[in-house]
Structure formats: structure tokens, C-alpha cells
């Protein structure tokens, strides 16, 4: 089983397909009607495990989100996650009612369920598709924000009795988002402060501590009747953008946990489905998905982004990049647990819709980006890891120069590091040497930079500025 999962990771990385499809396929293959005919129908357990996995995935996504990319895109992402969701729910629910013949409650549930973009699918595709920073920032923030309002809507529509008035739902969504955001930001800043000022006995404890803070943020947000998902995403984003010791190791550990969470969650969702029951709901799912992809999503993007003057080319890409994944399938278990009439059909329609349109959208996203002439917005950022030197009151910075970095061709003296910081070692082609001021840096180099405590932040800012702007950084307004 482990070998199959590893092979799925390699195939998804090379093919451009979101790993969702391969892991779901593994679950379907070993489940009912599959090779081993494993019977599993516990929707409640699937929902609990799915929530836990989503917490890990959101934490991993938040740690990898760059604040400088998300900050200018934040208002647009919030608009997409609120007003955009409302438009998408309404249009998709109308399609499910009039085209498929579902009752309005069932149609609204489907409209809400599939209006959430999936963090795991979006993050996995964005790692392989270089896009302008504004587009990437909007997509990342939207996928982290829109789970909360969608979850509230699905629970409200799945509850027995009349649905709350629209203004009550809006007020509930706003309150839960505010509580979740407050707790997430507080947990992130307090956690970052603690990790910077408390020396843990082993470096391997830092990644565990970071994930623990993210999980605590989710738990606190949920217990306070706020959005736990928003809390964990914001807390992780604050931690990921703070100057923490062993930051690359923290992200690497979170990424590994994220892969494990994705594999387990998607395989379990594949086990839950019964393939022969999907046949009757295949074409209804295709019809609803077509309206969602070609009408509801573009309309929600256009209307919610009207105040932000985003170019039409970027709006087209944002419309096509609204990937669905495990989150809608997990949300589709809520009406099953609540005993909503026709919930089995809702789950089947959502499952087919997610698989079909992820198969269409994921691989074609790089092609569409090239056709729209939307390339990367900036060179790759440096990988900088910091290890504190407690007794020396300094820091050892490990700097990786990526392929597209403008630090390539820059001499060590041209870095113009602040007094108190110096490049002490260069590793190139697996060989290390002590550089001179005239040593020319190359892509792929690993640098060891020693900086005293007062200039540590300034040294890192200068290194990143040169990586983005080259040797003239500072003179041309960079850094």
C-alpha cells in the first residue's frame, strides 16, 4: 500500500494532475466493487478524519504562503470567499434544481458544497504552475478563507426545519469569520514570539511545536464557535512569515504531514463511494459541473472582483483555477450524517463532479496560463534557514540560490551585507570553499552566512533583495 501511494506521488508530480485523482482511485480500487471489495460506509468517521486532515493541509499551506504575495491580494480573496461564494451557490443551486430536478434544499446543499475551492488541490497545482504573484496570492488566500462560510451554509441547509433568513446566515458567517481570524492571528503571533525567545532542547522539536500551535489555533477557534479552519490557516501564515529558527525544516515537516493527510483522506473518501451507484448520477453531475465551471465560477469572479480592476486575462485564469478537491467531498458527508433525504445522491453527484472537472482543469491550467501570456511575476525567492548561536549571540544563515534567482553572477562584495554579517562558506557542486570578496555566486550555490544578533534581520532582508533585484538592489528601489 505504501509503495502504491509513493508511486502515486511521483505520477502526480510528473503528470500535472492533482494527487486527489490518484489517491481517490486507490480508494475506489480497494473498496466496494474493487479489487479487495472492502466495504466501508461510515460517513461520520470519514467526516471526522477529513476535518483532521484538512487542518494539517491548511497548516501546511499557510506555512508556505508568502505574506508579500497575499497582502495585496487579500481584499480580492475576501470578496471571492464571501460575495463570490454567494453568487456561486445561487447559480449552481438553480442548475441543480432546474436541470437535474433536485428539491431546493438538496440543490442548495450541492451549490454550497461545490462552491468551496480545495486548499490541497490549489496548493499542489500552484507548486508546479508559475503564475503572477497577484493571481497566486488570490488563489491561495481564497482556498484558505472560503471553507468557513461554505461550511456554515452546508450545515444550515442540512439542518432539519426551515433555513435561517439570509441576513441571519450572513451575520453568523461574519461573526464566525471574525472570531476565527482573531484567534488565528493571536495564536500565530504569540506562538512566533515564544519560539523566537524560548530555546528548545533539540532542533527537531521546532517543526513539532509549529504544527502544535496550528492545531491549538483550530481547536480554540472551534471551541469559541468561530471558524477553526480560518484560525489554523491564519496562525500558520503568521508562523510561516515570522523569523523562526529552522524555518525550512518547519515547512518540510509540515509538507510531509500534508502528503500523509492527503493520502489518508483521499483513500478514505474513495473507500466511501460505491462505484456502481455513480452510473445513474454521472450525467447530472456533468451538467451541474458544467454550469459551475462555465457560468457560476466566472460570474462569481467577475462580480466580486469588480471593485479591484483586475485585468480580464487574470479573471479568466482565476475562473478556471477554482479547483475542487477533497473539501467538497468531505462537506458532502454532512447531509449524510444529518440524515437529509437524498443525501446519498448528493454525495455521488459531488464525487463525480469533483473527479471529472479536476481531471479537466488541473492538467489544462498550465496551458491556459501560457495562452493568456501570464508568466511568473518575480524570480524565485531564496531559501534561508536560520539556526541560533546562543553563546555567540549570533545566527548562522543557510542560503540556497534557486535557478531563477538574480543573485546568479553577483560577487560576494556586491552583496553589501551590513557590518556584522559575512559569507563564511560556499558549497558548489558538492565542494565547499571559503569565498573571497571577488567570488562570483552561481545558481545552485549554498551559502553559510554568519550574522550577529542586531543585524540578523537586516542581513536576511539584504540577501532576499539581491535575490529579487540583483546587484543593483537598493539603487533600483529593491530592498
Amino acid at each position: 500500500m505504501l509503495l502504491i501511494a509513493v508511486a502515486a506521488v511521483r505520477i502526480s508530480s510528473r503528470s500535472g494532475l492533482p494527487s486527489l485523482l490518484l489517491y481517490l482511485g486507490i480508494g475506489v480500487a480497494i473498496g466496494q466493487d474493487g479489487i479487495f471489495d472492502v466495504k466501508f460506509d461510515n460517513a461520520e468517521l470519514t467526516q471526522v478524519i477529513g476535518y483532521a486532515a484538512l487542518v494539517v493541509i491548511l497548516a501546511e499551506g499557510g506555512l508556505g504562503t508568502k505574506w508579500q504575495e497575499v497582502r495585496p491580494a487579500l481584499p480580492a480573496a475576501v470578496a471571492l470567499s464571501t460575495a463570490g461564494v454567494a453568487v456561486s451557490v445561487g447559480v449552481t443551486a438553480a442548475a441543480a434544481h432546474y436541470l437535474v430536478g433536485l428539491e431546493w434544499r438538496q440543490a442548495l446543499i450541492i451549490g454550497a458544497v461545490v462552491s468551496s475551492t480545495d486548499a490541497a488541490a490549489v496548493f499542489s497545482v500552484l507548486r508546479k504552475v508559475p503564475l503572477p504573484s497577484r493571481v497566486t496570492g488570490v488563489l491561495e488566500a481564497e482556498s484558505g478563507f472560503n471553507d468557513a462560510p461554505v461550511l456554515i451554509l452546508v450545515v444550515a441547509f442540512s439542518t432539519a426545519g426551515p433555513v435561517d433568513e439570509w441576513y441571519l446566515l450572513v451575520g453568523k458567517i461574519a461573526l464566525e469569520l471574525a472570531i476565527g481570524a482573531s484567534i488565528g492571528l493571536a495564536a500565530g503571533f504569540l506562538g512566533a514570539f515564544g519560539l523566537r525567545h524560548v530555546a528548545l532542547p533539540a532542533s527537531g522539536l521546532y517543526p513539532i511545536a509549529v504544527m502544535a500551535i496550528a492545531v491549538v489555533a483550530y481547536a480554540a477557534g472551534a471551541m469559541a464557535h468561530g471558524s477553526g479552519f480560518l484560525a489554523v490557516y491564519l496562525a500558520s501564515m503568521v508562523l510561516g512569515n515570522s523569523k523562526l529558527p529552522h524555518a525550512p525544516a518547519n515547512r518540510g515537516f509540515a509538507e510531509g504531514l500534508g502528503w500523509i493527510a492527503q493520502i489518508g483522506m483521499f483513500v478514505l473518501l474513495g473507500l466511501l463511494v460505491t462505484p456502481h451507484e455513480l452510473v445513474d448520477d454521472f450525467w447530472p453531475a456533468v451538467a451541474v459541473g458544467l454550469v459551475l465551471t462555465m457560468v457560476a465560477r466566472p460570474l462569481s469572479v467577475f462580480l466580486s472582483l469588480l471593485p479591484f480592476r483586475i485585468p480580464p486575462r487574470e479573471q479568466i485564469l482565476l475562473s478556471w483555477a477554482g479547483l475542487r478537491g477533497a473539501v467538497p467531498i468531505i462537506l458532502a458527508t454532512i447531509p449524510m450524517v444529518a440524515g437529509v433525504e437524498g443525501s446519498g445522491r448528493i454525495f455521488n453527484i459531488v464525487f463525480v463532479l469533483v473527479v471529472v472537472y479536476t481531471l479537466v482543469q488541473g492538467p489544462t491550467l498550465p496551458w491556459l496560463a501560457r495562452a493568456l501570456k501570464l508568466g511568473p511575476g518575480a524570480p524565485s525567492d531564496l531559501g534561508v534557514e536560520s539556526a541560533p548561536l546562543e553563546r555567540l549571540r549570533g545566527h548562522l544563515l543557510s542560503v540556497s540560490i534557486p535557478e531563477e534567482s538574480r543573485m546568479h553572477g553577483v560577487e560576494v562584495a556586491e552583496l553589501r551585507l551590513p557590518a556584522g554579517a559575512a559569507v563564511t562558506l560556499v558549497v558548489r557542486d558538492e565542494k565547499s570553499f571559503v569565498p573571497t570578496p571577488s567570488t562570483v555566486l552561481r545558481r545552485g550555490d549554498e551559502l553559510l552566512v554568519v550574522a550577529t544578533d542586531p543585524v540578523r534581520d537586516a542581513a536576511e532582508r539584504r540577501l532576499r533583495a539581491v535575490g529579487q533585484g540583483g546587484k543593483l538592489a537598493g539603487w533600483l528601489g529593491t530592498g
Side-chain angles (χ1 to χ4, degrees), residues 100 281-290 348-353 356-357:
V100 180
D281 294 316
F282 180 83
W283 291 112
V286 171
V288 173
L290 187 63
N348 291 338
I349 290 176
V350 171
F351 188 93
V352 173
L353 186 156
V356 170
Y357 286 93

Side-chain angles (χ1 to χ4, degrees), residues 83-93 111-112 114-116 292 296-297 300 324:
V85 163
V87 173
S88 180
V89 170
V91 174
T92 308
V114 299
S115 293
S116 175
L292 170 67
R297 173 68 179 181
S300 66
R324 272 73 193 171

Side-chain angles (χ1 to χ4, degrees), residues 17 21 320 355-365:
L17 288 172
L21 298 177
W320 193 249
V355 170
V356 170
Y357 286 93
T358 302
L359 182 61
V360 172
Q361 291 175 269
T364 57
L365 188 56

